[in-house]
Amino acid sequence: MLPGLAVDGLGRELTLEAAWCVSLTAWAREWIEAHPPQQGPQTPAGRTPAADGTEPDPPRRHAVEAWILAEFATCPDRPVPALADPCDVTRRHDDFSRIVETARITVRATAPAPWRPYHRVRVLLGLDEAAPGDTAGQEALREAAEVARVPAHRRAPALLAAFRRLAAADATALAPERAEGDLCPPWAPVTEDHAPVALARLTVELTEYDGCVRIEEVRADPSVRTAVLPATTVQELVCALAPGIIGAAAEADAGGPRLIRDSLAWSREHTVLSFEVTAPLAAGSAEPEGIEITSLSGSGRGWATDEVAGIRVSADGLRVKVDLDQRPAYETVRVRVRGTGPTPLYGRHPRAPFAGPEGGPPGTADEGNDAVVTVHLPRQAAPGGPRNDAQ
């Protein structure tokens, strides 16, 4: 290994000032000793039965995975004269006055234990999955959904606020990791076993023959390293993302109503579609031309336009019901609520066109956005099944 600098799991600097050589042959011998061949009931150790009973074992080939790790190490330095009893013939005339922190390179047959803290933050940013029983992960999923519903020009500060809340919760939940047999609780969230830095994963092809071990091939995979990027690189990455945030902030949303996607519902006969919006609609702005419903055949017949017979808006302007002449012709149904064109849906206050789905791009006072939702309806409503009544 070449000289370098790393930081281990306990925050200690691992400094390697000179090239370090590791003997894979010595490690391979230790591995062979730890994995002896399986012996039969009458087979002597190191022998395989042959016709005359004198033949040695045939060569055994192994493909072994190994890990190169950098570990924290110390060594004494700077000897100085030491006080001692002059009558003590075993006395030392000097002793070390400094402890130098350094690093050592080791080879292990087992992978280092993974340690991925800040689970909530990782789920928020899409780096971890959240299982149904994962309380912390589900909390982060709810935060992510809330951020997604915020208009684009306000999403950056909303994400930052969610990030800070979840990071604080993750930091509070961190606790020292107890190793087996520890009598006193440690101070750090990781133990010495988890602190080393993985430098590479090796695939070692070795041959064992008549007590000898030979390395045939070694393949190194350095992608297992967790690299710490320089601060200047991190700054440049942040600046690379900034134009999208700046552009979104520069275009303010006019506050037009938006579709609440989860509110979309069909009647049991699929002849009435209902949905809710985030702000009241202006009276008379919801006309049949403002909502388009089409369906696609699954047998190659193409698209069909499903006629809208009328639109009803609740008194508070927050719920819309769309009446169709008949159920959609085919099972793949595409619903388009218009915020563009000559007759879009319009908000009551502020007076602005429909802005599209929740969390979508900003809509202006002159032109909004369309909301498009695709659903798959059964070809025929199940008789006596559960009712999703939008009437």
Side-chain angles (χ1 to χ4, degrees):
M1 299 301 298
L2 297 177
L5 177 67
V7 178
D8 74 357
L10 293 173
R12 300 171 300 198
E13 291 186 351
L14 311 184
T15 306
L16 191 63
E17 297 181 348
W20 189 295
C21 296
V22 177
S23 174
L24 281 180
T25 303
W27 169 83
R29 289 183 181 278
E30 294 177 0
W31 187 90
I32 291 294
E33 292 176 1
H35 300 80
Q38 303 237 342
Q39 304 297 327
Q42 298 179 342
T43 304
R47 293 281 178 179
T48 298
D52 57 2
T54 60
E55 292 292 331
D57 285 346
R60 290 198 306 151
R61 296 183 64 89
H62 307 275
V64 184
E65 189 177 80
W67 297 77
I68 298 181
L69 305 179
E71 297 179 326
F72 180 78
T74 59
C75 61
D77 192 22
R78 294 190 185 181
V80 296
L83 296 176
D85 184 354
C87 297
D88 184 2
V89 295
T90 62
R91 70 184 184 276
R92 296 182 57 176
H93 296 279
D94 53 31
D95 204 350
F96 296 103
S97 63
R98 297 287 187 274
I99 297 295
V100 177
E101 295 181 350
T102 181
R104 63 171 173 264
I105 307 299
T106 60
V107 181
R108 291 188 188 176
T110 56
W115 189 65
R116 292 288 182 267
Y118 291 85
H119 176 57
R120 294 175 179 83
V121 171
R122 294 177 64 85
V123 171
L124 173 68
L125 301 179
L127 301 176
D128 277 358
E129 298 289 337
D134 180 4
T135 304
Q138 293 299 323
E139 177 188 354
L141 284 181
R142 290 192 295 271
E143 290 277 6
E146 290 294 330
V147 172
R149 282 193 283 268
V150 174
H153 70 288
R154 295 201 299 268
R155 198 170 300 158
L159 177 60
L160 178 60
F163 179 90
R164 287 174 171 168
R165 286 193 296 270
L166 295 177
D170 279 333
T172 303
L174 281 178
E177 181 183 10
R178 259 186 197 275
E180 187 176 352
D182 278 349
L183 298 179
C184 298
W187 60 270
V190 296
T191 61
E192 286 286 353
D193 292 338
H194 295 172
V197 177
L199 300 180
R201 178 176 55 208
L202 304 180
T203 302
V204 183
E205 303 279 350
L206 56 90
T207 300
E208 176 194 0
Y209 180 72
D210 199 18
C212 298
V213 177
R214 183 172 63 188
I215 305 296
E216 304 289 351
E217 184 182 358
V218 178
R219 295 186 297 274
D221 177 16
S223 65
V224 298
R225 296 188 182 188
T226 302
V228 179
L229 298 179
T232 52
T233 303
V234 176
Q235 292 170 358
E236 291 168 358
L237 292 174
V238 172
C239 290
L241 297 175
I245 299 174
I246 295 172
E251 188 178 4
D253 187 80
R258 292 181 176 271
L259 170 68
I260 301 175
R261 184 186 177 96
D262 293 341
S263 68
L264 204 73
W266 290 85
S267 66
R268 184 170 59 181
E269 295 80 13
H270 300 149
T271 57
V272 178
L273 167 68
S274 68
F275 60 87
E276 297 177 3
V277 292
T278 58
L281 296 174
S285 71
E287 296 187 352
E289 293 79 10
I291 297 178
E292 299 176 355
I293 299 179
T294 55
S295 57
L296 179 63
S297 168
S299 58
R301 297 181 180 178
W303 288 94
T305 300
D306 303 295
E307 297 294 335
V308 175
I311 297 180
R312 295 171 283 159
V313 180
S314 62
D316 59 5
L318 295 176
R319 187 168 184 84
V320 179
K321 293 183 179 179
V322 183
D323 297 305
L324 279 71
D325 286 338
Q326 58 185 358
R327 60 175 291 137
Y330 304 118
E331 57 271 20
T332 301
V333 181
R334 185 177 173 88
V335 180
R336 182 178 185 181
V337 184
R338 299 191 66 93
T340 62
T343 57
L345 275 67
Y346 233 79
R348 182 185 304 173
H349 181 76
R351 205 77 166 177
F354 179 77
E358 279 187 310
T364 69
D366 299 315
E367 187 78 317
N369 300 300
D370 295 347
V372 180
V373 179
T374 300
V375 296
H376 299 278
L377 301 179
R379 293 184 62 88
Q380 184 174 359
R387 182 178 179 86
N388 182 14
D389 198 352
Q391 296 185 4

